[in-house]
């Protein structure tokens, strides 16, 4: 009887854990599906040279992105008013945002080497990946209220944005390691590939929430297969993030002190000339 009881409890615990994991996955947005780059280009993955080549090739795409950013700004400002007065999400804004996110995702995947297919100028996924964001059926008027909703979302996103930044720094470390892996083995390690992909998705989730496309707080869930590698990347990302914060604070203090010294020297010179 005791063994049956223990077995039932283990089964129940396993079921609860599985359901919790499933719930986490169901709350994840946007949905980003991408197949591993089985045959990465070694030239485009060559340390430093590869990223330089990719960046130069992307110059015309960056120009288009600049114009698209103005379109994004227009819809981003207009959407709260549509939500406030009509109580629904603007179809044109939804279509544009989805296209804009796909455009940015293609660039990120290309830059990070998750694909070697040139992103082009279209606002579709170009067969490289699948990106899905469910259109809000009844957006919150409180979270969508002009200016006030933006302030609320921005404040709520502070811890999430910090986490996303940590992952972004960790992704840079992953890409750096992947350069050498591709160069010598011809393969992009699955653990690094998954980490970079999840970093891109979590960064996109920040923008989805900021664009009023969801009133549900974005999930920090990410796949922890190859847990050791991904944990080390998160730690590395956190260290780089802290280093950036510390250097920024020190630079601000140095600039303030320099300004004070400059004003003091000017005042001293002014007083000297008066005499």
């Amino acid at each position: 009887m005791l063994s049956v009881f223990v077995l039932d409890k283990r089964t129940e615990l396993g079921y609860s854990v599985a359901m919790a994991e499933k719930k986490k996955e169901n709350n994840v947005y946007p949905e980003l599906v991408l197949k591993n780059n089985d045959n990465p280009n070694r030239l485009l993955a060559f340390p430093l040279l590869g990223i330089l080549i990719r960046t130069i090739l992307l110059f015309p795409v960056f120009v288009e992105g600049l114009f698209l950013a103005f379109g994004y700004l227009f819809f981003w400002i207009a959407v709260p008013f549509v939500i406030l007065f009509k109580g629904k999400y603007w179809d044109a804004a939804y279509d544009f945002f989805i296209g804009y996110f796909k455009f940015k995702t293609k660039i990120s995947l290309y830059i990070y080497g998750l694909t070697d297919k040139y992103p082009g100028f279209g606002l579709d996924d170009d067969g490289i990946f699948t990106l899905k964001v469910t259109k809000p059926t009844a957006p919150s008027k409180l979270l969508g209220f002009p200016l006030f909703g933006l302030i609320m979302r921005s404040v709520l996103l502070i811890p999430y944005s910090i986490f996303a930044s940590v992952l972004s720094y960790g992704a840079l470390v992953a890409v750096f390691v992947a350069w050498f892996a591709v160069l010598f083995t011809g393969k992009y390690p699955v653990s690094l590939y998954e980490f970079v992909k999840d970093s891109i998705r979590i960064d996109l989730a920040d923008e989805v929430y900021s664009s009023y496309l969801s009133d549900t707080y974005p999930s920090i869930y990410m796949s922890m297969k190859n847990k050791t590698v991904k944990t080390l990347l998160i730690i590395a990302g956190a260290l780089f993030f802290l280093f950036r914060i510390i250097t920024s604070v020190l630079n601000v203090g140095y600039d303030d002190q320099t300004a004070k010294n400059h004003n003091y020297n000017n005042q001293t010179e002014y007083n000297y000339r008066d005499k």
Side-chain angles (χ1 to χ4, degrees):
M1 286 294 293
L2 180 59
S3 60
V4 173
F5 176 78
V6 172
L7 181 60
D8 288 343
K9 284 298 180 182
R10 287 180 178 177
T11 303
E12 182 180 344
L13 178 61
Y15 177 76
S16 300
V17 171
M19 290 301 293
E21 287 294 313
K22 188 66 176 176
K23 185 177 180 181
K24 286 180 181 179
E25 292 182 11
N26 290 337
N27 289 334
V28 169
Y29 66 81
E31 180 184 343
L32 177 61
V33 179
L34 173 69
K35 184 182 177 183
N36 198 337
N37 190 356
D38 294 327
N39 297 297
N41 187 306
R42 294 195 182 194
L43 175 62
L44 292 177
F46 197 91
L48 297 180
L49 176 63
I51 195 71
L52 178 61
I53 294 174
R54 290 178 191 267
T55 304
I56 293 174
L57 292 174
L58 282 173
F59 274 164
V61 179
F62 290 149
V63 173
E64 180 188 4
L66 181 62
F67 288 99
L68 289 175
F70 286 109
Y72 176 87
L73 182 62
F74 166 75
F75 283 111
W76 182 69
I77 293 173
V79 160
F81 294 96
V82 176
I83 293 175
L84 179 64
F85 294 113
K86 291 192 173 183
K88 62 180 184 179
Y89 205 89
W90 190 9
D91 291 340
Y94 172 78
D95 293 337
F96 180 84
F97 285 151
I98 297 301
Y100 182 67
F101 293 150
K102 288 182 178 180
F103 177 81
K104 289 186 64 177
T105 301
K106 285 192 294 184
I107 294 175
S108 297
L109 296 177
Y110 185 72
I111 284 287
Y112 288 142
L114 299 191
T115 180
D116 294 325
K117 188 173 182 179
Y118 192 73
F121 304 94
L123 302 186
D124 55 3
D125 53 40
D126 202 21
I128 302 173
F129 60 95
T130 301
L131 179 67
K132 295 181 181 179
V133 181
T134 303
K135 180 184 173 184
T137 54
S140 168
K141 289 189 176 182
L142 177 63
L143 287 174
F145 197 90
L147 189 59
F148 178 72
L150 172 62
I151 294 174
M152 284 187 63
R153 288 177 187 267
S154 299
V155 172
L156 291 172
L157 274 176
I158 290 175
Y160 189 85
S161 298
I162 292 174
F163 178 70
S165 296
V166 168
L167 291 188
S168 294
Y169 282 112
L172 292 177
V173 176
V175 171
F176 180 79
V177 175
W179 284 343
F180 295 93
V182 173
L183 181 63
F184 293 111
T185 69
K187 299 293 182 181
Y188 204 117
V190 175
S191 57
L192 305 181
Y193 198 90
E194 290 177 347
F195 188 91
V196 176
K197 185 190 76 171
D198 281 340
S199 171
I200 293 173
R201 185 201 61 74
I202 287 175
D203 194 53
L204 275 172
D206 190 312
E207 294 191 70
V208 169
Y209 188 73
S210 300
S211 303
Y212 310 95
L213 278 167
S214 177
D215 297 324
T216 303
Y217 195 77
S219 172
I220 63 173
Y221 174 81
M222 61 183 294
S223 170
M224 286 306 288
K225 295 178 182 178
N226 304 296
K227 186 175 181 179
T228 302
V229 173
K230 293 181 179 180
T231 301
L232 290 174
L233 288 173
I234 292 174
I235 293 173
L239 292 176
F240 275 109
F241 179 78
L242 289 175
F243 176 77
R244 181 186 175 188
I245 296 298
I246 292 172
T247 53
S248 296
V249 171
L250 292 177
N251 285 336
V252 170
Y254 176 78
D255 291 341
D256 288 344
Q257 186 61 42
T258 301
K260 289 179 180 178
N261 291 338
H262 180 69
N263 291 334
Y264 175 77
N265 291 334
N266 286 343
Q267 186 64 36
T268 302
E269 182 179 355
Y270 178 75
N271 293 335
Y272 176 78
R273 287 179 177 176
D274 282 348
K275 293 179 181 180

